[in-house]
Amino acid sequence: MICALGAAVCFGTATVLQAMAARAAASDGGGTGDGGAGADAALLLRAVRQWRYLVGLALDGVGFLLQIVALRSLPIYAVGAALAASLAVTAVVAARLLHVRLSRVEWGAVGVVCAGLAMLGLASGAEGARAGSIALKYAMLGTAVGVLLLGAAGGRLPERGRALVLGLGAGFGFGVVEVAVRLVDDLAVGSLLRNPATYALLVGGGAAFLLLTSALQRGSVTVATAGMVIGETIGPAVVGVVWLGDRTREGLEWLAVLGFVVAVVGALALARFGEAPVEVSTGVP
């Protein structure tokens, strides 16, 4: 659980640092911020020259490695809930560094997430001992391809439904990554190339980033992030329990379910922090 929480801290902090770098890059560029794709590309090029952005990317890399370690030793449902808690980390760090004002409800949601994770930590057992079948590996690859197709179709939807569909699709893609890590059972090069889960991990992860970026650019951040949290937690948790044998400690099934629900609900309450927060306190400019 320590690795899963460490990944959440890395991802949540990286979001804020990258937000600060993007703001500084926009200020340096002197643009209005409402340009097209060319302006966005120029902003990204300026952002990657900011030390905060580079530190954020490094934290993302460390977080991914910690996520892999966590998925090798914990049930998927516990890791998924912990990663959703990165929104709570983003909220707290944003309140400190970006001077974003959290309401009492949002501070309460941070506490709810922590309480849910504590319950999960107490109730979680070891990862399931079942090996993933070849059918499950191909199913994950098919799901990853389906996420790409969903992105192509979702981008044409009206604005109201687009953010939710793309956010859900991104969540499914990240969920494929969580499951695929468990299905990669041999790290030898030959085995990796023959394992459908390897391609599911790559396609699912790439599709998830593409869909989430599109959702955040073209719709409501809160709706998109809420969809992502739902997609990346519930589906993988079911796969872990039903097909990979993830279980809880004896007699604590109810505590694990309660902790999972509480952590996810708390994360959903903080969904506006799924992208770099832009609100600043109305104090010193």
Side-chain angles (χ1 to χ4, degrees):
M1 182 59 83
I2 292 176
C3 287
L5 293 177
V9 171
C10 288
F11 292 144
T13 305
T15 296
V16 178
L17 291 174
Q18 289 162 353
M20 297 175 71
R23 288 185 186 181
S27 176
D28 291 343
T32 60
D34 56 358
D40 291 339
L43 176 62
L44 178 60
L45 290 175
R46 291 196 298 273
V48 297
R49 293 197 292 266
Q50 301 279 337
W51 68 267
R52 292 184 182 88
Y53 196 89
L54 295 177
V55 172
L57 288 178
L59 285 173
D60 281 334
V62 173
F64 181 68
L65 293 177
L66 290 173
Q67 176 186 357
I68 291 176
V69 174
L71 286 166
R72 290 291 187 175
S73 58
L74 283 176
I76 293 176
Y77 63 79
V79 178
L83 294 180
S86 65
L87 294 173
V89 176
T90 299
V92 173
V93 176
R96 177 72 175 176
L97 298 182
L98 292 179
H99 308 295
V100 175
R101 286 183 173 176
L102 272 65
S103 67
R104 291 183 178 179
V105 172
E106 288 171 332
W107 278 117
V110 171
V112 165
V113 169
C114 293
L117 292 176
M119 288 184 244
L120 273 172
L122 290 172
S124 298
E127 67 171 343
R130 297 181 197 166
S133 66
I134 188 66
L136 180 59
K137 295 175 181 179
Y138 275 109
M140 289 299 102
L141 179 56
T143 301
V145 174
V147 169
L148 280 175
L149 298 177
L150 180 64
R156 299 188 178 94
L157 292 174
E159 184 175 351
R160 176 175 296 182
R162 184 167 56 211
L164 178 60
V165 171
L166 292 177
L168 275 172
F172 293 151
F174 288 128
V176 166
V177 172
E178 293 175 22
V179 176
V181 167
R182 285 277 296 276
L183 297 177
V184 176
D185 47 11
D186 188 344
L187 298 182
V189 175
S191 296
L192 287 174
L193 293 176
R194 292 191 298 270
N195 192 340
T198 303
Y199 304 101
L201 190 155
L202 296 174
V203 175
F209 279 113
L210 288 174
L211 266 66
L212 183 59
T213 299
S214 179
L216 296 177
Q217 288 177 341
R218 304 171 64 185
S220 166
V221 171
T222 301
V223 171
T225 306
M228 181 190 69
V229 169
I230 293 172
E232 73 176 344
T233 52
I234 297 177
V238 171
V239 172
V241 171
V242 175
W243 284 285
L244 296 177
D246 287 348
R247 292 293 182 266
T248 65
R249 294 183 182 178
E250 188 68 27
L252 292 180
E253 294 86 356
W254 65 272
L255 186 61
V257 172
L258 180 60
F260 180 85
V261 172
V262 167
V264 172
V265 169
L268 290 175
L270 296 166
R272 76 180 177 101
F273 294 96
E275 190 188 34
V278 297
E279 300 87 347
V280 296
S281 62
T282 57
V284 179

